Amino acid sequence: MTSTLAKTPLHDWHASHGGRLVDFAGWSMPVQYGSIVAEHNATRTAAGLFDVSHMGRLKFSGDGAAAFLDSLVTRRITDMEPGQVRYGLVTNERAGILDDVLVYRIAQTDGTEYYLMVVNASNRAKIIVWINSKLGDHANVRFADITTDTAMIAVQGPLALELVDLRIDCELEEMKYYHASEALVGDQLAIVSRTGYTGEDGCELMIPARIAAETWEGILKDGQQRGAMAAGLGARDTLRLEAAMPLYGHELNDETNPLEAGLNFAVNLDNRTFPGSGVLSAVKRDGVKRTRVGLELTGKRVPREHYGIFAGEQSIGEITSGTFSPTLQKPIAMGYVPPNYAKVGTELSIDLRGAKEPATIVKLPFYKRKS
Amino acid sequence: MTVNPEKLLFAKTHEWVGVEPAAGGKVATVGVSAFAVEALTDLVFMQLPQVGQKLKAGEALGEIESVKAVSDLYSPVDGEVIEVNSALPNHLETLSSDPYGAGWLVKIKLTDETALKNLVDYAAYQKMCAEESH
C-alpha cells in the first residue's frame, strides 16, 4: 500500500526511527514516533521537529503576481512588505473555504521577488486547478508547483529559534513573527519563516531535499539533551487544537465561510473583490448563522468529530475536533453552534456515543503561551 | 500474577482470553494484548461492563480511549460477566506495564464454548500483528 503514497525527503528517517506511518492526504507521514503526549509536551517545553514537507508550495512570479493573488484570497496581498507572511483564505463564489493558506512575499538576494503560497496537502490538487482556472486574464503571472523541490521542517517551542539559529546564517530572534527570509543552511539556499501551527514560537525551514535529513538530525541532536524531540501529526493536531487553530476538513471546508469560522481578522472587504466577497459582505451585515466555539468537559471521555452538541434536548450543532488536552489535562473540543449559544460560560451538553455529558463554552484559545 | 501470553488465545480484535475450569463450568479471563496497548498509547479513559452483564462473542464489552481515538473492546466469548477489574480505569498505566496480569479487564463465565474456536493461538496472533504493522 505504502508504495503508492508520496514520500517526503525525510521518509526514510521516520521509518528507521520508529515513526508510525499513515496515509495522510496521499503522503506516507508519521503520526507519532512514540507517545503523542510526550511529543506534545516536548514542543511546549523545549522543541518539537515536524516534517511538513507534504504541505503544498506554490510559486507566483512576474509583475502581476501580487494583483493576481489579491484577486484570489480574502486578504489584501498588494500591500504586503517584502519578507512578510500573511494568513488568508481561498474562497469559492459562495464564500465557502477552499483552503486556508500562507502567502509569503520573498525578496531574493539578487533583488528579484516572488510570492509563495503554502497550502494544505489535502487541498493542493484542488487549489492548483482553481488557480489555473483563474489565471486566464493574468498573462503576466508565472505559476509553478514547487512542492517536491524542497523539504519543509517546522521547529516549534521555546528552544526552536535558538536551535535553528545554529544552522542558518540569519538572526532568527531579530526576525519579526510572520516574516520570512532567504538564508543559507551550510552553503545551501533556504527559506526560513517565523510561522507555525502549534501555538508556540518557532520557525519553518524550506531546504533542498538533499540536505533535509542532515539538517533535521543536526537540529535534533543539538536539542535532544534539553528535551527536543521529533514529533508527528498526532502531536501537531493536539497542539493546534489547544491553540484553537482551525484545521481544514474539520473546522474549515467549502461549506463554511471565514466569518462563521471566526477568521474575521483574515477577511478584508474594503474596496476589493475576490470570489465570495459579495457573500461575505452580506454575512457581515446580517450576522452569521453559526459560529466556531471552544468547549471544555469535566469528565475523561473525549468528544470527537461529528458528535452532537445539545442545549437541553435540542440539537444545536456538531463537534469538528476534539482531544484530551495534554497541557490542560481535560477534554477539549471545537464545534459550531448558533451565536446565541456561543457566549462564554454557556452550559451545553455533548452526545458522547449515546451518553450526554455536560460541556461549557470557553474562551479560545484553550492555551496561550506566556510571552 | 502475570500469565504467560503463549498460553493464551487471541481475538482478531486484539483481546486475549485465558480459559480455566471453575465450579459448574469454565471462566474466561479477558484482557487487551500488549500489541494493542502499545498501538493505542496515551490512554485517557476506559469503560468496563457491570457484573451480571450477558455478552455474546463480538459484542462490545466496553471502550478504551486514547488521546488519538476511541476504540470498542469486544467480548471474545459468550457468557456472563462475573468479575470486573474495577481498579483498572483509574490506573490505565497498568495496561502498559502488565497487560497479561494486573491489566486484565473482566472474568466471564462461559455459557457456550463455540466462540473459542474462532480465537487463535499466540504464534498465529504474533503473525497477524506482524502483518498489521506493515
PDB file of all heavy atoms in Angstrom, chain B residues 17 26-27 31 40 51 90 95 109 117 121-123:
ATOM      1  N   VAL B  17      -7.613 -14.138  25.852  1.00  0.00           N
ATOM      2  CA  VAL B  17      -8.531 -14.951  26.657  1.00  0.00           C
ATOM      3  C   VAL B  17      -7.747 -16.069  27.333  1.00  0.00           C
ATOM      4  O   VAL B  17      -6.993 -16.778  26.668  1.00  0.00           O
ATOM      5  CB  VAL B  17      -9.618 -15.604  25.753  1.00  0.00           C
ATOM      6  CG1 VAL B  17     -10.581 -16.425  26.607  1.00  0.00           C
ATOM      7  CG2 VAL B  17     -10.368 -14.565  24.956  1.00  0.00           C
ATOM      8  N   LYS B  26     -16.737 -23.169  32.957  1.00  0.00           N
ATOM      9  CA  LYS B  26     -15.437 -22.568  32.678  1.00  0.00           C
ATOM     10  C   LYS B  26     -15.524 -21.054  32.767  1.00  0.00           C
ATOM     11  O   LYS B  26     -16.556 -20.466  32.434  1.00  0.00           O
ATOM     12  CB  LYS B  26     -14.979 -22.967  31.274  1.00  0.00           C
ATOM     13  CG  LYS B  26     -14.504 -24.407  31.183  1.00  0.00           C
ATOM     14  CD  LYS B  26     -14.035 -24.731  29.782  1.00  0.00           C
ATOM     15  CE  LYS B  26     -13.521 -26.166  29.731  1.00  0.00           C
ATOM     16  NZ  LYS B  26     -13.298 -26.609  28.352  1.00  0.00           N
ATOM     17  N   VAL B  27     -14.405 -20.455  33.181  1.00  0.00           N
ATOM     18  CA  VAL B  27     -14.360 -18.987  33.280  1.00  0.00           C
ATOM     19  C   VAL B  27     -13.233 -18.467  32.386  1.00  0.00           C
ATOM     20  O   VAL B  27     -12.122 -18.996  32.402  1.00  0.00           O
ATOM     21  CB  VAL B  27     -14.128 -18.546  34.742  1.00  0.00           C
ATOM     22  CG1 VAL B  27     -13.801 -17.046  34.804  1.00  0.00           C
ATOM     23  CG2 VAL B  27     -15.368 -18.848  35.588  1.00  0.00           C
ATOM     24  N   GLY B  31      -8.448  -9.824  28.503  1.00  0.00           N
ATOM     25  CA  GLY B  31      -7.642  -8.607  28.577  1.00  0.00           C
ATOM     26  C   GLY B  31      -7.366  -8.060  27.176  1.00  0.00           C
ATOM     27  O   GLY B  31      -7.958  -8.504  26.197  1.00  0.00           O
ATOM     28  N   LEU B  40      -2.218   1.673  20.904  1.00  0.00           N
ATOM     29  CA  LEU B  40      -3.156   2.719  21.361  1.00  0.00           C
ATOM     30  C   LEU B  40      -2.381   3.907  21.944  1.00  0.00           C
ATOM     31  O   LEU B  40      -2.636   5.043  21.593  1.00  0.00           O
ATOM     32  CB  LEU B  40      -4.109   2.156  22.409  1.00  0.00           C
ATOM     33  CG  LEU B  40      -5.208   1.216  21.880  1.00  0.00           C
ATOM     34  CD1 LEU B  40      -5.835   0.428  23.023  1.00  0.00           C
ATOM     35  CD2 LEU B  40      -6.279   1.990  21.129  1.00  0.00           C
ATOM     36  N   VAL B  51     -20.907  -6.207  36.462  1.00  0.00           N
ATOM     37  CA  VAL B  51     -21.054  -7.626  36.811  1.00  0.00           C
ATOM     38  C   VAL B  51     -22.497  -8.033  36.536  1.00  0.00           C
ATOM     39  O   VAL B  51     -23.433  -7.295  36.849  1.00  0.00           O
ATOM     40  CB  VAL B  51     -20.691  -7.855  38.304  1.00  0.00           C
ATOM     41  CG1 VAL B  51     -21.095  -9.261  38.760  1.00  0.00           C
ATOM     42  CG2 VAL B  51     -19.192  -7.644  38.515  1.00  0.00           C
ATOM     43  N   ASN B  90      -8.954   3.642  36.698  1.00  0.00           N
ATOM     44  CA  ASN B  90      -8.221   4.727  37.373  1.00  0.00           C
ATOM     45  C   ASN B  90      -6.710   4.523  37.345  1.00  0.00           C
ATOM     46  O   ASN B  90      -5.963   5.356  37.860  1.00  0.00           O
ATOM     47  CB  ASN B  90      -8.699   4.861  38.819  1.00  0.00           C
ATOM     48  CG  ASN B  90     -10.125   5.367  38.882  1.00  0.00           C
ATOM     49  OD1 ASN B  90     -10.514   6.230  38.101  1.00  0.00           O
ATOM     50  ND2 ASN B  90     -10.911   4.795  39.780  1.00  0.00           N
ATOM     51  N   LEU B  95      -2.213  -1.207  32.223  1.00  0.00           N
ATOM     52  CA  LEU B  95      -2.394  -1.893  30.943  1.00  0.00           C
ATOM     53  C   LEU B  95      -1.069  -2.000  30.192  1.00  0.00           C
ATOM     54  O   LEU B  95      -0.807  -2.997  29.530  1.00  0.00           O
ATOM     55  CB  LEU B  95      -3.402  -1.144  30.067  1.00  0.00           C
ATOM     56  CG  LEU B  95      -4.877  -1.479  30.245  1.00  0.00           C
ATOM     57  CD1 LEU B  95      -5.695  -0.574  29.348  1.00  0.00           C
ATOM     58  CD2 LEU B  95      -5.152  -2.946  29.922  1.00  0.00           C
ATOM     59  N   LYS B 109     -18.072 -15.947  32.787  1.00  0.00           N
ATOM     60  CA  LYS B 109     -18.448 -17.360  32.910  1.00  0.00           C
ATOM     61  C   LYS B 109     -19.063 -17.798  31.590  1.00  0.00           C
ATOM     62  O   LYS B 109     -20.048 -17.211  31.122  1.00  0.00           O
ATOM     63  CB  LYS B 109     -19.447 -17.544  34.051  1.00  0.00           C
ATOM     64  CG  LYS B 109     -19.806 -18.980  34.237  1.00  0.00           C
ATOM     65  CD  LYS B 109     -20.458 -19.272  35.565  1.00  0.00           C
ATOM     66  CE  LYS B 109     -20.539 -20.786  35.687  1.00  0.00           C
ATOM     67  NZ  LYS B 109     -21.374 -21.212  36.794  1.00  0.00           N
ATOM     68  N   LYS B 117     -13.492 -21.376  19.300  1.00  0.00           N
ATOM     69  CA  LYS B 117     -12.908 -21.918  18.059  1.00  0.00           C
ATOM     70  C   LYS B 117     -12.474 -20.801  17.108  1.00  0.00           C
ATOM     71  O   LYS B 117     -11.656 -21.026  16.219  1.00  0.00           O
ATOM     72  CB  LYS B 117     -13.946 -22.801  17.337  1.00  0.00           C
ATOM     73  CG  LYS B 117     -14.313 -24.058  18.082  1.00  0.00           C
ATOM     74  CD  LYS B 117     -14.990 -25.054  17.133  1.00  0.00           C
ATOM     75  CE  LYS B 117     -15.538 -26.247  17.878  1.00  0.00           C
ATOM     76  NZ  LYS B 117     -16.953 -26.087  18.292  1.00  0.00           N
ATOM     77  N   ASP B 121      -4.082 -18.991  18.429  1.00  0.00           N
ATOM     78  CA  ASP B 121      -3.048 -19.130  19.455  1.00  0.00           C
ATOM     79  C   ASP B 121      -2.006 -18.002  19.327  1.00  0.00           C
ATOM     80  O   ASP B 121      -2.067 -17.191  18.407  1.00  0.00           O
ATOM     81  CB  ASP B 121      -2.397 -20.526  19.413  1.00  0.00           C
ATOM     82  CG  ASP B 121      -1.603 -20.762  18.127  1.00  0.00           C
ATOM     83  OD1 ASP B 121      -1.350 -19.788  17.377  1.00  0.00           O
ATOM     84  OD2 ASP B 121      -1.258 -21.932  17.868  1.00  0.00           O
ATOM     85  N   TYR B 122      -1.090 -17.996  20.254  1.00  0.00           N
ATOM     86  CA  TYR B 122      -0.111 -16.907  20.355  1.00  0.00           C
ATOM     87  C   TYR B 122       0.704 -16.738  19.070  1.00  0.00           C
ATOM     88  O   TYR B 122       0.863 -15.625  18.563  1.00  0.00           O
ATOM     89  CB  TYR B 122       0.821 -17.168  21.543  1.00  0.00           C
ATOM     90  CG  TYR B 122       1.838 -16.076  21.778  1.00  0.00           C
ATOM     91  CD1 TYR B 122       1.449 -14.866  22.345  1.00  0.00           C
ATOM     92  CD2 TYR B 122       3.178 -16.273  21.457  1.00  0.00           C
ATOM     93  CE1 TYR B 122       2.383 -13.856  22.559  1.00  0.00           C
ATOM     94  CE2 TYR B 122       4.112 -15.261  21.671  1.00  0.00           C
ATOM     95  CZ  TYR B 122       3.707 -14.061  22.224  1.00  0.00           C
ATOM     96  OH  TYR B 122       4.624 -13.069  22.429  1.00  0.00           O
ATOM     97  N   ALA B 123       1.160 -17.874  18.522  1.00  0.00           N
ATOM     98  CA  ALA B 123       2.016 -17.815  17.322  1.00  0.00           C
ATOM     99  C   ALA B 123       1.238 -17.190  16.153  1.00  0.00           C
ATOM    100  O   ALA B 123       1.746 -16.309  15.447  1.00  0.00           O
ATOM    101  CB  ALA B 123       2.506 -19.207  16.962  1.00  0.00           C
TER     102      ALA B 123
END
